[in-house]
Amino acid sequence: MAFVDEVSLQARAGKGGDGTVAWLHLRGKELSGPAGGNGGDGGDVYFRAVRDLTLLARYRGEKLFAAGDGEAGGNREKHGARGADLIVDVPLGSLVRNEETREVFDLAREGMQQLVLKGGRGGAGNAVFKSSINRSPKESTPGAAGEEARLTIELRLVADAGLVGVPNAGKTSLLNALTHATGKIGAYPFTTLEPNLGMLFGFVLADIPGLIEGASQGKGLGTRFLRHISRTRVILHCLALDSADPLCEYRVVRKELESFEDGSLARRPEIVILTKSDTRDTQEIQQISDVIAKALKKEKGEILIVSVLDDDSVSSLSRALTKTLGEV
Ligand SMILES: Nc1nc2c(ncn2[C@@H]2O[C@H](COP(=O)(O)OP(=O)(O)OP(=O)(O)O)[C@@H](O)[C@H]2O)c(=O)[nH]1
Ligand SMILES: [Mg+2]
């Protein structure tokens, strides 16, 4: 099933049940009175965050999401039942936007549930209108309509760190080496077409497709994927040591991070990781990393070096990342 991270759907909360006009006749007595019950309230529409990234794909074909309507009021002042609430499960990290009111609901914590559309109130039965001046009211009110709206759901993955870099920088290889993820690796650009997630000692790492110039404007696989690292705390910027100009590639990617939305991605702590260290000798690596460190004025986050073919380098990277993620 294709990864779906955006879906638009029509949803409606339940209509309130109508109030009823009814009369109570007491046998053998002249006395009678209004006894129409109130309608039940319409059910509400809630959205709930669950750990399942496949959910949005299932909602694509659905026409309408509707909560239950309230029942009409009955005789003998019996109130109608409340309509059933509708709870729509969405992947953890979804933003639900009401296109009518522009309200946005952020489902960023697992199990979190948000009321998105409110059901209509039930109408009043004629028993409610009884008063000292009107002992036989014939009026009742209808139930109110529930809120209805077009809702857009946009998924923004919840991860601690995001791997970025140009296509072929070795991001997915690194995710697989560091975690139990099994993302697809290829010796060609744009191998990764949808985000991959992996767990590193309790921290979630996200790998997205490679970024090229103009990604923030939608070029390549573009913005669609930058938003999946928008919630991360740390950016892991991968530069391949077998590249002809890693520094230039670094700048291309930084520019895209800066141009995405309000630019906050570019202000996030960044760790530079030089990948594929097996493709160069130690001296060359030293030279390249000196040039990069100087150009980037990196002092706080050191520059880390790794090759997925060298288990020791993967372990030390893993320790360094776990330590940093624990601190940030
Ligand atoms: N020699 C060597 N090759 C590597 C290393 N890491 C990745 N590669 C190779 O580099 C190529 C690209 O690797 P990927 O992990 O698919 O790169 P990516 O950054 O995820 O690429 P996109 O998904 O296309 O953006 C593959 O042929 C990998 O086998 C490494 O440490 N050493
Ligand atoms: Mg990849």
Side-chain angles (χ1 to χ4, degrees):
M1 192 155 43
F3 177 73
V4 174
D5 54 7
E6 205 171 303
V7 84
S8 169
L9 51 90
Q10 190 70 21
R12 180 171 70 69
K15 177 188 173 301
D18 295 338
T20 293
V21 176
W23 305 97
L24 184 66
H25 301 281
L26 289 178
R27 203 187 298 262
K29 294 201 176 165
E30 248 174 74
L31 208 74
S32 72
N38 299 337
D41 293 339
D44 301 325
V45 177
Y46 290 91
F47 278 74
R48 180 168 64 191
V50 300
R51 223 172 254 284
D52 180 352
L53 294 178
T54 68
L55 282 168
L56 296 186
R58 286 188 232 160
Y59 296 156
R60 265 202 307 192
E62 302 249 354
K63 292 234 161 43
L64 178 70
F65 288 73
D69 294 336
E71 255 178 34
N75 298 332
R76 296 173 174 264
E77 295 192 47
K78 189 168 179 294
H79 297 328
R82 218 190 110 81
D85 290 336
L86 174 71
I87 299 174
V88 183
D89 285 337
V90 288
L92 175 64
S94 295
L95 290 174
V96 178
R97 189 173 51 244
N98 181 324
E99 297 295 349
E100 256 68 55
T101 63
R102 310 309 272 169
E103 276 170 296
V104 176
F105 305 87
D106 188 357
L107 292 133
R109 268 180 296 113
E110 190 172 7
M112 186 175 189
Q113 191 167 307
Q114 300 242 36
L115 172 63
V116 173
L117 297 172
K118 183 108 193 76
R121 288 280 305 259
N126 66 337
V128 170
F129 296 96
K130 184 177 159 186
S131 68
S132 53
I133 46 167
N134 185 359
R135 287 167 183 281
S136 313
K138 294 183 186 64
E139 57 192 307
S140 67
T141 56
E147 290 175 345
E148 174 162 2
R150 177 137 289 268
L151 304 176
T152 305
I153 307 168
E154 177 191 296
L155 175 60
R156 294 186 169 219
L157 293 179
V158 175
D160 298 291
L163 289 156
V164 300
V166 296
N168 249 337
K171 303 175 293 296
T172 309
S173 304
L174 197 53
L175 180 83
N176 291 356
L178 287 168
T179 72
H180 293 297
T182 52
K184 189 176 166 203
I185 294 166
Y188 45 86
F190 299 118
T191 307
T192 301
L193 300 174
E194 49 196 52
N196 298 307
L197 291 178
M199 290 286 275
L200 175 73
F201 300 111
F203 297 110
V204 180
L205 305 189
D207 162 42
I208 59 168
L211 299 172
I212 56 168
E213 201 169 348
S216 55
Q217 261 67 58
K219 275 237 187 90
L221 295 166
T223 18
R224 260 198 73 204
F225 293 104
L226 276 170
R227 75 169 188 241
H228 288 302
I229 53 164
S230 64
R231 294 185 193 271
T232 59
R233 292 178 290 137
V234 179
I235 300 291
L236 308 177
H237 195 150
C238 298
L239 300 176
L241 282 162
D242 65 352
S243 144
D245 194 348
L247 198 54
C248 167
E249 293 176 345
Y250 174 87
R251 295 201 165 112
V252 166
V253 169
R254 286 299 298 180
K255 216 171 132 214
E256 298 314 314
L257 297 179
E258 278 155 23
S259 329
F260 180 67
E261 292 187 341
D262 61 355
S264 65
L265 266 181
R267 293 191 292 274
R268 213 116 339 141
E270 177 193 57
I271 299 173
V272 172
I273 302 174
L274 302 182
T275 62
K276 313 193 193 182
S277 61
D278 57 284
T279 62
R280 299 267 185 182
D281 63 39
T282 323
Q283 214 181 337
E284 286 176 308
I285 295 174
Q286 196 55 52
Q287 273 171 6
I288 299 172
S289 83
D290 284 349
V291 169
I292 290 175
K294 201 166 163 217
L296 309 186
K297 299 191 188 73
K298 283 279 172 195
E299 43 227 319
K300 40 181 189 357
E302 338 93 279
I303 294 179
L304 306 175
I305 297 164
V306 73
S307 160
V308 296
L309 306 178
D310 172 4
D311 290 343
D312 289 342
S313 76
V314 174
S315 305
S316 41
L317 177 67
S318 166
R319 276 193 301 276
L321 291 181
T322 319
K323 184 164 173 280
T324 311
L325 286 168
E327 287 163 0
V328 183

